[in-house]
Amino acid sequence: MLENVHIQFAPLEGITDAVYREVHHRMFGGVSEYMIPFVSPTQDRMLPAREMRAIAPEYNEGVPVVPQILAKDATLFVWLAERLQDMGYTKVNLNLGCPSGTVTAKGKGAGMLRDPDTLARFLDAIFTASPLPISLKTRVGYESLEEWPRLLEILARYPAAEIIIHPRLRSEFYKGEVHRELFARAAQYLKVPVIYNGDVFTKKDAAAVLEHTASCRTLMVGRGLAANPAFARELSGGKPLTAPEIRTFHDELYARYAQMYSERIVLGKMREVTKYLLCAYDPAPKLCKAMLKAQTGRIYSSAIDQLFALPLRNEPGFVPFTASQTWS
């Protein structure tokens, strides 16, 4: 059931930056595309330096990446798509799924799902003028599942390169069960390639999605890959994660960031990475706290040495309850 499955790495803001993507791609493989965490053009047609670095070809050389745009102004979307084409990109993704309050309050991300008529006008404009094929990433509504049929009808009008569906409402964020039955119906209804996203943490999760949706052969995975960097490789029939390589992965990220940033920033970035890697182990709460509260490299390194001395869990992967406990 898992044969010929393609895996996309979902964008995780603050984690899957260019350094992370390059190291992960080189060490583990198994990912067909990495989504670059969204870039959002300003009204004066500018991008912050950090976002420019994220999409700059020289920072993504050798890694299969797709830029993701967060915008509600069609002219700005097309302007950025033109720039991305000039950089050599061949596809762009529109983010209609981000549930963050700071994003939706501006009418972007999942906030666009609140007004289907405005969304349709926006899609009309970008699909008419974009120089690049557009893929869409969406949720199934903002506050009510009753919104989905209308949204689905709108999405079906456009020649999207693919439609990535996270079958939750914006109001559900990442909690509760995903509405996989809505994804299965959408896959039958839509005439373009459909990709599933949401709570794929184990091989069993992946098999369950594919078993009920024969037309879906691509999964977008975020937290599952951050917790088990070898997950895509495993889904493709490769070897499972090993203790030495997760240590090497962590240490290379740390060394690369240390060349770029101050210790304070390095520790901040590594804490975000480690929040997920903790899920591959069964660490004591005291160790988790020491690692995630460390204010110096010495304290952090001591804690990480203790973590990596532990055995890996039988099936390393994202564990929502464990993560919520250790992140506090």
Side-chain angles (χ1 to χ4, degrees), residues 18 65 72 108 127 135 137 143 189 225 240 277:
V65 294
K72 65 176 182 178
K108 299 178 181 180
F127 275 97
S135 71
K137 187 173 189 292
E143 292 182 336
Y189 180 76
L225 264 168
L277 296 184

Side-chain angles (χ1 to χ4, degrees), residues 38-288:
F38 61 73
V39 291
S40 186
T42 62
Q43 288 297 324
D44 55 359
R45 301 192 178 192
M46 295 288 290
L47 287 176
R50 179 178 62 86
E51 295 187 2
M52 280 299 299
R53 286 194 299 272
I55 60 175
E58 60 266 29
Y59 287 98
N60 294 286
E61 188 173 357
V63 182
V65 294
V66 176
Q68 184 180 82
I69 297 178
L70 185 72
K72 65 176 182 178
D73 183 314
T75 59
L76 291 177
F77 180 99
V78 172
W79 167 79
L80 183 50
E82 291 171 345
R83 291 206 62 184
L84 291 168
Q85 183 186 47
D86 292 340
M87 293 178 181
Y89 289 102
T90 58
K91 182 171 67 174
V92 68
N93 177 264
L94 171 66
N95 183 320
L96 297 174
C98 180
S100 168
T102 56
V103 170
T104 57
K106 299 174 183 177
K108 299 178 181 180
M112 297 192 77
L113 304 179
R114 282 182 293 194
D115 188 339
D117 292 333
T118 299
L119 173 63
R121 288 192 293 271
F122 176 82
L123 295 176
D124 282 341
I126 67 171
F127 275 97
T128 298
S130 175
L132 293 176
I134 302 169
S135 71
L136 304 173
K137 187 173 189 292
T138 187
R139 287 180 173 244
V140 294
Y142 193 81
E143 292 182 336
S144 169
L145 296 179
E146 296 178 0
E147 302 166 19
W148 183 228
R150 174 75 195 289
L151 292 169
L152 186 59
E153 183 274 325
I154 291 172
L155 297 176
R157 300 175 192 173
Y158 303 96
E162 61 206 11
I163 298 180
I164 305 157
I165 301 173
H166 183 122
R168 279 191 176 99
L169 300 169
R170 181 270 171 181
S171 58
E172 294 174 311
F173 285 80
Y174 299 97
K175 298 178 180 179
E177 294 295 322
V178 286
H179 307 286
R180 287 181 177 166
E181 72 284 358
L182 295 186
F183 174 82
R185 293 175 200 163
Q188 291 181 328
Y189 180 76
L190 294 166
K191 305 302 182 184
V192 302
V194 179
I195 296 172
Y196 177 87
N197 171 238
D199 288 17
V200 178
F201 304 145
T202 65
K203 288 183 179 180
K204 183 177 178 181
D205 295 333
V209 172
L210 300 172
E211 180 181 358
H212 292 94
T213 314
S215 61
C216 174
R217 303 311 302 169
T218 303
L219 304 173
M220 175 173 278
V221 183
R223 293 173 292 170
L225 264 168
N228 175 2
F231 188 39
R233 184 180 72 194
E234 292 179 33
L235 291 177
S236 302
K239 67 177 184 179
L241 181 70
T242 67
E245 64 183 349
I246 195 173
R247 174 85 210 218
T248 300
F249 178 62
H250 170 279
D251 289 355
E252 182 161 348
L253 288 176
Y254 194 107
R256 292 278 295 276
Y257 290 138
Q259 294 173 354
M260 303 166 63
Y261 305 110
S262 68
E263 182 178 79
R264 181 182 62 82
I265 294 176
V266 171
L267 290 175
K269 293 182 75 67
M270 291 310 301
R271 279 194 292 266
E272 293 303 309
V273 172
T274 304
K275 284 177 183 178
Y276 286 97
L277 296 184
L278 283 170
C279 298
Y281 301 87
D282 287 313
K286 184 177 180 180
L287 175 58
C288 297

